[in-house]
Amino acid sequence: MSEYSIDLKKMCAALKQCDESNEKPLWDTDGEEYLFKHIVPKCVFNQPLLISDIDFSAFDEDDIVNIVDNKSNLIDGAFHAVNTILESFSESSALSLKSKRFF
């Protein structure tokens, strides 16, 4: 298993300097946006997806086909990157708490 080390100061500084205007969203249509925000995360993270939770008027067949045929690798890469960051935070020791005693 790999061990990750995070310099939080450096990471926060880099995030503050990040220019979001250059980021292109994964979706091209309103239907794809709906799918990416409401359906895809549940599928990727194995969460229950009920038919009653889906707004079928928010997307059409072309949106689904485009995501499956053209964007599967982008989805996998994006969620893998986020998952890696979350795991490294959850497994990190709280260094600031080791050096300070509150009680």
Side-chain angles (χ1 to χ4, degrees):
M1 183 170 166
S2 300
E3 185 174 317
Y4 295 100
S5 170
I6 299 173
D7 182 342
L8 292 177
K9 265 188 179 173
K10 204 176 213 180
M11 185 175 132
C12 289
L15 288 172
K16 286 179 184 177
Q17 293 174 359
C18 181
D19 182 10
E20 291 183 31
S21 63
N22 291 333
E23 289 295 318
K24 184 179 183 279
L26 293 173
W27 54 83
D28 297 319
T29 66
D30 291 339
E32 287 181 11
E33 179 180 9
Y34 175 82
L35 292 169
F36 273 108
K37 288 184 175 182
H38 301 283
I39 307 301
V40 171
K42 289 186 177 194
C43 295
V44 169
F45 294 113
N46 294 322
Q47 296 175 343
L49 179 61
L50 306 174
I51 290 182
S52 59
D53 294 339
I54 302 172
D55 178 5
F56 288 97
S57 65
F59 60 94
D60 59 25
E61 184 178 351
D62 291 337
D63 295 321
I64 296 170
V65 170
N66 192 37
I67 288 174
V68 171
D69 289 348
N70 302 322
K71 298 184 178 179
S72 296
N73 290 337
L74 292 172
I75 295 169
D76 188 46
F79 282 105
H80 178 70
V82 169
N83 191 45
T84 301
I85 292 169
L86 290 175
E87 282 180 359
S88 40
F89 273 117
S90 67
E91 294 172 3
S92 296
S93 60
L95 297 177
S96 62
L97 294 179
K98 285 183 180 178
S99 61
K100 293 181 181 179
R101 302 264 178 187
F102 296 103
F103 301 104

